[in-house]
Amino acid sequence: MNTLRYALLAAGTLVCAAATAQTTIKIGYATSPQSHYGVGSTVFCEEVEKRTGGRYKCQQFPNSALGGEREMIEAVQLGTLDIVNTSTGPVGNFVPEVNIVDIPFLFRDYDHARKVLDGPIGDELRARFPAKGLIALAWTENGFRHMTNSKRPIVKPEDAKGLKIRSMQNKVHIQAFQSIGIQPTPMAFPELFTALQQGTVDGQENPIPVILSAKFAQVQKHLSLTGHVYSPALLIMSPALWNKLSDADKKAFTEAGKAGGAAQRRKVNEDEKNGIDELRKAGMNVVTNVDGAAFRAAMTPVWAEFAKQFGADNIRRIQEVK
Ligand code: EAX
């Protein structure tokens, strides 16, 4: 009788253990835990833990601890990293159609960008990822990108001519910068601060939240509010993890992704509101009278190239979202 009792007890313990087994998921991103990516990732992780009753919890790898965004996306594809919270910068190297969202001056403002990404167009773009061995769980946000450099204030495109500006590994950005005489230097984000410090490049371009969290004011004098590109971001998950999830857990992760994206956008709003003064106080010369019309006019020829690459109708469809 005792043997049966012990066997049942052991079986019961095993069942309980299985029911409360906890899986740790690894999530990586480029900037600090206090940054917009850190806030978005933390809310995502809290929501996952809550919505799965603690069966899944995160281990975060901030500050490019696992490499640049391109390397992290590759790791997600291989299944050695579960999730990356990344800008779309390098994503076009994996899912070429996504490069359409990186076209300069495509989005009018944050409201327009968020409406496009949260609507059918954003869903259609996310649906292209599984065929490339990636799961685009949710849109998060990086923000409108502005130029910084150590040489001179940039007011109009001519002022940027000849400057060596670091770009993301993004062919649309590279084409656009070349079209206005900038010398783009594609470089992974983790190398950027040192490159600016050593003068390997004269400048870079990033949203206010990144310029703040990466402390670029320590190595850059001039900030020009060009807002030349809206930089979306995404929570991208490994199919190795996604395919193991039950339907209920897939729903839980998807809802958690939306909550993370909303929190990240709120942090971007905050940084947009307070960040410029913070950067002035940190010693940056902030150029607010950038000639946006001149930048748009200078990029008209390369826009014709983008219309050929992505389809004028597809671009117009994005522009017409109100
Ligand atoms: O996603 O590489 C970049 O400039 C990105 O904006 C940064 O990694 C945050």
Side-chain angles (χ1 to χ4, degrees):
M1 186 50 186
N2 271 349
T3 318
L4 176 61
R5 188 181 296 129
Y6 286 134
L8 286 174
L9 191 65
T13 312
L14 274 176
V15 166
C16 290
T20 54
Q22 193 166 69
T23 304
T24 298
I25 49 177
K26 294 181 288 184
I27 177 169
Y29 50 93
T31 51
S32 68
Q34 297 72 30
S35 72
H36 52 325
Y37 283 101
V39 168
S41 301
T42 300
V43 167
F44 166 71
C45 291
E46 286 167 351
E47 287 295 315
V48 164
E49 196 163 345
K50 190 170 77 180
R51 293 164 184 268
T52 62
R55 284 177 290 105
Y56 287 90
K57 64 176 293 201
C58 291
Q59 184 183 3
Q60 296 192 38
F61 294 85
N63 297 314
S64 305
L66 300 178
E69 291 180 333
R70 183 172 188 158
E71 287 76 21
M72 286 193 274
I73 297 169
E74 282 164 359
V76 166
Q77 228 174 15
L78 289 169
T80 53
L81 176 61
D82 297 309
I83 298 179
V84 59
N85 190 350
T86 176
S87 76
T88 54
V91 172
N93 299 298
F94 300 85
V95 187
E97 297 84 355
V98 171
N99 265 146
I100 192 170
V101 297
D102 299 318
I103 294 175
F105 301 115
L106 176 66
F107 295 102
R108 295 185 299 276
D109 52 32
Y110 278 103
D111 187 46
H112 176 217
R114 294 165 181 175
K115 273 200 181 115
V116 170
L117 299 176
D118 292 349
I121 295 171
D123 292 347
E124 287 161 26
L125 287 170
R126 286 195 302 118
R128 294 199 176 263
F129 282 71
K132 302 296 169 81
L134 295 165
I135 302 293
L137 193 65
W139 292 100
T140 58
E141 183 168 79
N142 197 14
F144 274 93
R145 304 179 76 90
H146 305 291
M147 288 183 189
T148 69
N149 81 92
S150 56
K151 299 281 188 207
R152 52 184 180 264
I154 296 172
V155 177
K156 50 191 187 308
E158 298 79 77
D159 302 330
K161 236 188 200 78
L163 288 176
K164 279 186 296 180
I165 301 282
R166 175 268 180 180
S167 77
M168 295 198 281
Q169 295 139 316
N170 180 296
K171 70 183 180 87
V172 165
H173 291 182
I174 290 166
Q175 259 183 294
F177 298 154
Q178 284 170 334
S179 78
I180 59 170
I182 282 174
Q183 292 178 43
T185 308
M187 181 188 295
F189 186 73
E191 298 158 35
L192 178 51
F193 189 92
T194 306
L196 293 169
Q197 200 168 34
Q198 293 176 349
T200 316
V201 289
D202 302 319
Q204 63 87 45
E205 41 84 55
N206 245 297
I208 298 295
V210 175
I211 299 170
L212 273 173
S213 56
K215 300 186 176 9
F216 285 155
Q218 293 176 4
V219 288
Q220 292 281 266
K221 179 64 190 159
H222 306 285
L223 164 61
S224 295
L225 300 181
T226 49
H228 54 280
V229 160
Y230 170 78
S231 185
L234 284 155
L235 281 164
I236 302 178
M237 181 190 273
S238 166
L241 171 59
W242 178 257
N243 295 333
K244 279 192 294 204
L245 297 177
S246 65
D247 288 348
D249 283 346
K250 283 187 169 77
K251 189 169 181 320
F253 271 73
T254 303
E255 291 308 308
K258 285 192 186 121
Q264 195 156 330
R265 288 172 175 174
R266 285 193 296 273
K267 181 66 169 98
V268 169
N269 291 342
E270 264 172 53
D271 286 350
E272 284 283 6
K273 190 160 147 278
N274 308 319
I276 291 167
D277 276 350
E278 273 184 54
L279 292 168
R280 272 201 192 90
K281 285 188 193 116
M284 291 195 91
N285 164 42
V286 180
V287 178
T288 54
N289 62 329
V290 169
D291 187 345
F295 269 96
R296 284 174 176 74
M299 288 196 183
T300 304
V302 78
W303 254 71
E305 279 305 304
F306 295 143
K308 278 192 209 122
Q309 282 176 41
F310 299 103
D313 291 348
N314 293 324
I315 292 175
R316 195 175 310 113
R317 197 170 153 230
I318 290 174
Q319 291 174 310
E320 286 172 355
V321 170
K322 296 296 175 221

